[in-house]
Amino acid sequence: MNVIEANGARIPAIGLGTWELRGRTCARIVEQALRLGYRHIDTAQVYDNEREVGEGLRASGVRRDDVCITTKVWTSHFRPNDLERSAKESLARLRLTEIDLLLLHWPNPQVPLAETMGALAHAKQLGLARHIGVSNFTVALVEEAVAACTEPLVCDQVEYHPYLDQAKVKAACARHGMAVVAYSPIAKGRIRNDRALARIGDRYRKTAAQVCLRWLVQQNVAAIPRTSKLERLSENINVFDFELSEDDMRLISVMASASGRLTDFGFAPKWD
């Protein structure tokens, strides 16, 4: 399953995350990823690399219409006029006429969610984005966002890997036809040293990271692993030529714990 379909959007199941990638390194990695077959590139206003992502896209020679570019609006731009202006600034930095998927990066309780969702829907209506969604939203916030938005939301981008149970968020998204997009899908590299995943991988002649990414894809979850190493790009996308057994899927799923979250910020919502 190479594409995740959600409320009219088609999201490539494996993409490239670009958090902490900067300058020529970022542009080079994006270019190489697209040449290798990636068709989903994720950036954000706060990453300060939208310009380089656009450079990598143009250098790759891949048709613009074949690539899903995601960017995320930072929390300080959630009021209507700010959101529209910041989306236009993202487009200018990327040198694109529209963003494929425009997300709210984190919840911001300082701005009424209904106000922000109205602004996000308006950005789509203006043609600034083909599709819209959210990121780091809890089940309760997904429900509130869907109710407040006049346009369909296509995803919730959240931290998701075998050490963190996201079953409730997945179920909430499924109720509304939304996809889950997993960031930090290999747990910031910790997966690579996991002996249990390595043993599973040995049966398929795959690495622990490939097993982890395949586990997500088989749940109909898109994953956006980040890497600054060219050799990892090929490894991360090479997960469509095998299928994990039901037993192996279960073995991986029971690895989650309450302390598995790796990413959190002071303004992040409570996740219980």
Side-chain angles (χ1 to χ4, degrees):
M1 186 180 305
N2 295 3
V3 174
I4 310 298
E5 298 191 8
N7 284 338
R10 291 172 55 83
I11 305 171
I14 296 292
L16 174 69
T18 64
W19 178 60
E20 291 188 328
L21 296 181
R22 297 282 192 278
R24 286 303 308 156
T25 297
C26 179
R28 182 174 60 96
I29 289 291
V30 169
E31 177 186 356
Q32 187 64 25
L34 291 168
R35 290 180 184 273
L36 284 171
Y38 285 74
R39 292 298 180 265
H40 178 187
I41 308 294
D42 180 89
T43 182
Q45 294 170 352
V46 78
Y47 296 173
D48 193 28
N49 64 9
E50 289 173 315
R51 187 168 283 105
E52 289 80 5
V53 167
E55 288 173 4
L57 172 61
R58 289 185 294 279
S60 73
V62 175
R63 289 180 64 248
R64 165 67 185 101
D65 290 346
D66 292 339
V67 183
C68 175
I69 301 291
T70 298
T71 196
K72 300 182 281 292
V73 180
W74 189 240
T75 57
S76 57
H77 302 147
F78 277 12
R79 296 196 183 279
N81 290 341
D82 292 338
L83 193 148
E84 180 180 331
R85 186 197 73 251
S86 76
K88 290 177 178 176
E89 289 171 350
S90 286
L91 284 170
R93 287 188 290 269
L94 288 158
R95 286 176 58 186
L96 299 177
T97 57
E98 63 179 357
I99 296 161
D100 298 285
L101 186 49
L102 183 66
L103 309 182
L104 304 178
H105 202 149
W106 282 89
N108 181 358
Q110 304 305 313
V111 181
L113 185 56
E115 187 177 308
T116 304
M117 298 314 301
L120 188 63
H122 188 57
K124 180 185 175 185
Q125 292 158 2
L126 289 173
L128 303 179
R130 292 180 62 217
H131 302 287
I132 56 175
V134 296
S135 182
N136 296 301
F137 271 39
T138 61
V139 170
L141 286 171
V142 166
E143 298 290 349
E144 187 179 346
V146 169
C149 196
T150 57
E151 295 286 339
L153 301 177
V154 304
C155 76
D156 187 7
Q157 184 184 120
V158 296
E159 179 184 339
Y160 192 18
H161 46 73
Y163 306 142
L164 180 63
D165 182 7
Q166 289 287 22
K168 291 180 181 179
V169 169
K170 273 188 69 218
C173 287
R175 283 196 295 274
H176 299 291
M178 296 167 61
V180 171
V181 177
Y183 70 78
S184 298
I186 54 175
K188 299 185 177 179
R190 297 185 191 184
I191 291 295
R192 298 191 187 280
N193 299 317
D194 191 294
R195 293 182 180 179
L197 290 173
R199 283 195 297 271
I200 293 172
D202 287 343
R203 294 201 286 273
Y204 301 93
R205 296 185 178 181
K206 294 292 182 178
T207 65
Q210 288 171 319
V211 166
C212 175
L213 293 171
R214 181 68 203 184
W215 173 75
L216 289 165
V217 169
Q218 281 184 219
Q219 297 177 67
N220 209 31
V221 170
I224 48 171
R226 177 191 66 85
T227 184
S228 60
K229 299 177 180 178
L230 294 177
E231 63 269 21
R232 296 294 191 197
L233 287 174
S234 296
E235 176 185 345
N236 290 343
I237 202 171
N238 188 21
V239 298
F240 298 107
D241 58 351
F242 75 110
E243 184 170 345
L244 294 168
S245 69
E246 290 184 10
D247 285 345
D248 286 334
M249 289 291 289
R250 281 193 293 269
L251 282 172
I252 298 168
S253 295
V254 299
M255 297 171 68
S257 72
S259 59
R261 187 173 304 282
L262 302 176
T263 303
D264 218 341
F265 292 98
F267 51 81
K270 294 187 183 298
W271 289 89
D272 52 356

